[in-house]
Structure formats: C-alpha cells, structure tokens
C-alpha cells in the first residue's frame, strides 16, 4: 500500500490524477514552515486548476438539519447564549468531463439521515432530545438523496462517483449497499446509486479498521461492514477527477478528510466541513459574538469546526489551503467562495449564533443524462 502521507500518491484508477503541486508539503517541519508550504502550493495549483476549464454543471440541495453544539461549531469562540444550534447538510450533483473524454457525474455528500442517527453522538443526543421533547426544534428534513437525481431528469444508475469529505455519521451501507443485512433488517441493502464507486481517502478507510476513542463518537459502528470492496475507489493525497473538479486532501478534522474544489463561471468554489459558516474562514468579517475577537486575540486567520480536534494544526493548515484556492464572490467580493457541506443554520431562534454571510446554494449549468449504464 502506498503511504498516504505523500501527496503525489495515486488513486486506484487511471481516470484520477495526482496533483504534483502538493507533493511532500504535509511532511515539512517545523509546523510554521509547513503552513507556508501549504499556502504556496495552493497558490501554484490554483493558477493551473483555473486554466484547465470548468465543470459542466453543479447544483446543491439541502438534505436535513441536525442539532450541533455551538461550542464545536466555532471552536468555543461563540457566546454561550445558545448551547445547541442546527446545521444543514448539503448534497451536490456535479457533472464534468473526465480525463477519458466521457461526461462524469459525481454526487457529493448524499447523507442518509437514518444512518447518521446511529452514530454514537447523535444516538445519545436523540435520546436526550426525546426526553426533553425538543427534537423538533433542531431537526428538519428537506430531501431524500435518492429522489434528487430523478427530479433533474437523471437516473441514479447514471452516477459514476459518490464521495464525502469524511465519513463522520455516515452509514456507508445505506448508501453504497452491503452484501449482508444491517442489524434488524431482513435483507442486504441495495445501493442508492447502483453503478457508482465511493471515492474515499485511504486513511479514512483505515479509521474504521482501528478507531481511537477520540474518533469513536462520530463514526457509525459497523458502518462499513459488508460494503463490497469493488464499490470503493481509494486514493491517497490530492487528486484531480476531471476538468474543473478536484479532491484536495485536507487532514485534521479527520485523518482522511478531503475537500471538493470546482471551477465554475464565477470562479473556484471549495466545500468541506472544516468550518461551519463563511465566518469560519474569514473570522475578521464575523458578527457572531466572540468569533472575530478571539481569532484576533490569538492571531489566527481561521476558526475550526472543533468537534473532534484529531489534529488542530493540520485542520488549520487545511482551511488555509481551502481559502487560498477559493475565488472572491462576484456578488460580494469581500467573501471567498467557500460553502460548508454542513452549514450553521440561519434560524432566528439560535441568534446570535447565525452566519454573518451565506452564499446559499450553487446552481450552474444543466444536468444531463449520460445514459451509459444501460436502460
């Protein structure tokens, strides 16, 4: 197995290309020099990436809102007026030209809410919320992942790839299928997207093999059991999937965390759960009480989504990598085009912990049927 620490390692497919600009940056020591190297590499790659072309189409959809401790969302930087907020999970449908010349479809973050509820943290939180009769204040359902593509005129069978920035609270069996039943069910699960492969960082898969207590609360127990290996496409480091779309290794939140980067008519967008709002990457603009002040006090340019803190220095570097890649928004140029995959909800009832700015969703191009996988 290739050492995942090397950013120039390849994936298990010839259609995915390594990104040489990031080779070796995560090995540089001391840590201040590593941050500089990450930023410089992102600047170099941003120029080449932007010149390669744009994705054909990208559209985002809200999936569900879930409760989340405010002290995690902004690394303890918010006033403790609302100890619990809600975060909204997003799913993206992206179409792009693959390096093999074929149109590809990627579904990013197709969270199945029923699976997420089985992660130890949410399982315990749900029991508490039911006891307090407070569950409805934090939870809201918008769309089922497997119903979205048909609403766009695209079949679920046409999806080539599925990916998540990391596998916190994901029961992968419910998404990619399994060859044995989930506990309490009579038959094995069929995949939501029958012909898709899960693009996943090799270190994220390794977490399921041997989990540390600091990781345990956020992963669904046995969430990978029975998922056929042929449905997995493991990769190391940073990779390009095709024209206008890349997955950048952004470790820290988890060892195998990676971020979606897409090029659009409005420039480059980045999506991950390293932060919970635009404020997270630009705290100097934040109006959330304590965020701007604490970031300035400590001399930090980003504020982490800090529920696990597997490696806070790595996560900080990763967020700098993301904001260096992102373009300024043409709608409001002081804000960078970074859209959280799970974003702090803008609901009045959790004031003052609401985003200072939200980009809303993404909607570029037209999703079209690829019709490559049979009738």
């Amino acid at each position: 197995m290739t050492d995942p620490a090397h950013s120039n390692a390849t994936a298990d497919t010839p259609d995915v290309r390594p990104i040489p600009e990031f080779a070796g940056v995560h090995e540089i020591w001391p840590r201040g020099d590593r941050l500089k190297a990450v930023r410089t590499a992102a600047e170099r790659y941003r120029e080449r990436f932007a010149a390669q072309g744009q994705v054909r189409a990208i559209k985002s959809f809200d999936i569900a809102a879930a409760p989340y401790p405010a002290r995690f969302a902004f690394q303890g930087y918010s006033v403790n007026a609302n100890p619990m907020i809600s975060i909204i999970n997003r799913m993206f449908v992206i179409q792009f030209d693959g390096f093999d010349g074929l149109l590809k479809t990627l579904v990013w973050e197709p969270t199945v809410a029923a699976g997420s509820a089985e992660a130890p943290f949410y399982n315990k939180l749900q029991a508490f919320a039911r006891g307090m009769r407070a569950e409805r204040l934090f939870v809201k359902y918008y769309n089922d992942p497997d119903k979205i593509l048909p609403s766009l005129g695209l079949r679920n069978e046409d999806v080539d790839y599925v990916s998540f920035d990391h596998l916190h609270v994901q029961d992968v069996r419910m998404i990619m299928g399994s060859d044995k039943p989930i506990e309490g069910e009579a038959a094995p699960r069929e995949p939501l997207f029958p012909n898709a492969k899960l693009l996943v960082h090799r270190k994220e898969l390794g977490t399921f093999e041997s989990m540390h207590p600091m990781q345990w609360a956020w992963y669904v127990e046995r969430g990978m059991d029975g998922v056929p290996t042929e449905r997995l496409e493991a990769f190391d480091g940073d990779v390009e999937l095709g024209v206008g779309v890349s997955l950048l290794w952004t470790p820290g939140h988890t060892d195998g965390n990676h971020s979606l980067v897409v090029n659009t008519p409005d420039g480059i967008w980045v999506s991950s759960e390293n932060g919970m709002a635009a404020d997270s990457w630009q705290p100097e603009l934040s109006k959330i009480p304590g965020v701007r002040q604490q970031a300035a006090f400590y001399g930090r340019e980003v504020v982490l989504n800090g529920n696990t803190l597997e490696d806070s220095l790595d996560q900080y570097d990763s967020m700098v990598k993301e904001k260096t890649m992102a373009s300024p928004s043409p709608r409001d140029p002081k804000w960078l085009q970074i859209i959280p995959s799970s974003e702090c909800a803008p609901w009045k009832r959790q004031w003052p912990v609401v985003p200072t700015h939200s980009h809303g969703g993404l909607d570029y191009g037209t999703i079209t049927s690829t019709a490559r996988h049979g009738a």
Side-chain angles (χ1 to χ4, degrees), residues 113-309:
S116 299
E118 295 306 312
F121 174 82
Y122 279 113
N123 189 276
K124 294 174 184 291
L125 191 63
Q126 271 196 328
F128 175 77
R130 283 194 295 268
M132 298 293 291
R133 297 183 179 180
E135 187 175 12
R136 64 181 180 84
L137 295 177
F138 302 104
V139 178
K140 186 174 181 179
Y141 300 101
Y142 299 98
N143 290 289
D144 293 324
D146 57 330
K147 301 295 193 300
I148 289 174
L149 272 71
S151 74
L152 298 172
L154 187 68
R155 304 176 310 163
N156 291 333
E157 290 84 356
D158 293 332
V159 175
D160 297 283
Y161 301 117
V162 169
S163 195
F164 297 85
D165 52 0
H166 60 288
L167 296 177
H168 277 177
V169 307
Q170 303 300 334
D171 192 328
V172 181
R173 300 170 296 183
M174 294 185 178
I175 301 156
M176 303 307 298
S178 63
D179 58 18
K180 57 186 177 182
I182 296 174
E183 300 78 12
E185 298 186 3
R189 283 282 182 131
E190 295 295 326
L192 296 187
F193 309 103
N195 298 303
K197 290 195 173 185
L198 178 69
L199 287 166
V200 58
H201 198 284
R202 211 178 304 271
K203 281 197 169 184
E204 197 69 10
L205 288 179
T207 297
F208 279 93
E209 297 173 7
S210 180
M211 202 166 293
H212 189 280
M214 286 288 287
Q215 300 170 315
W216 168 81
W218 299 96
Y219 285 94
V220 175
E221 187 177 4
R222 296 184 293 277
M224 289 290 298
D225 285 4
V227 177
T229 56
E230 62 269 19
R231 299 193 61 82
L232 305 177
E233 202 74 81
F235 66 90
D236 303 303
D238 307 80
V239 294
E240 295 178 322
L241 305 186
V243 177
V245 58
S246 295
L247 301 179
L248 301 190
W249 185 34
T250 49
H253 186 68
T254 71
D255 289 330
N257 201 84
H258 60 277
S259 304
L260 175 70
V261 181
V262 293
N263 193 19
T264 73
D266 285 334
I268 297 171
W269 285 89
V270 179
S271 181
S272 82
E273 204 181 86
N274 277 319
M276 281 283 136
D279 305 60
S280 305
W281 288 270
Q282 295 179 269
E284 72 279 4
L285 301 177
S286 181
K287 295 180 181 178
I288 299 173
V291 171
R292 177 176 56 82
Q293 295 87 346
Q294 288 288 336
F297 181 86
Y298 285 105
R300 297 171 183 168
E301 63 178 289
V302 295
V303 172
L304 316 185
N305 170 24
N307 62 326
T308 59
L309 295 179

Side-chain angles (χ1 to χ4, degrees), residues 101-112:
L102 298 176
L103 181 65
K104 307 285 187 180
T105 301
L106 164 68
V107 174
W108 175 258
E109 300 281 341
T111 297
V112 174

Side-chain angles (χ1 to χ4, degrees), residues 24-63:
V25 295
H26 292 286
E27 302 168 23
I28 292 173
W29 190 267
R31 293 306 300 263
D33 288 345
R34 185 183 303 179
L35 174 58
K36 293 176 184 176
V38 167
R39 195 191 307 270
T40 299
E43 290 170 348
R44 289 200 308 267
Y45 180 56
R46 182 183 61 203
E47 291 185 17
R48 183 169 69 83
F49 178 73
Q52 287 180 333
Q54 300 169 5
V55 295
R56 293 278 195 97
I58 178 169
K59 297 187 184 298
S60 63
F61 301 85
D62 292 343
I63 299 297

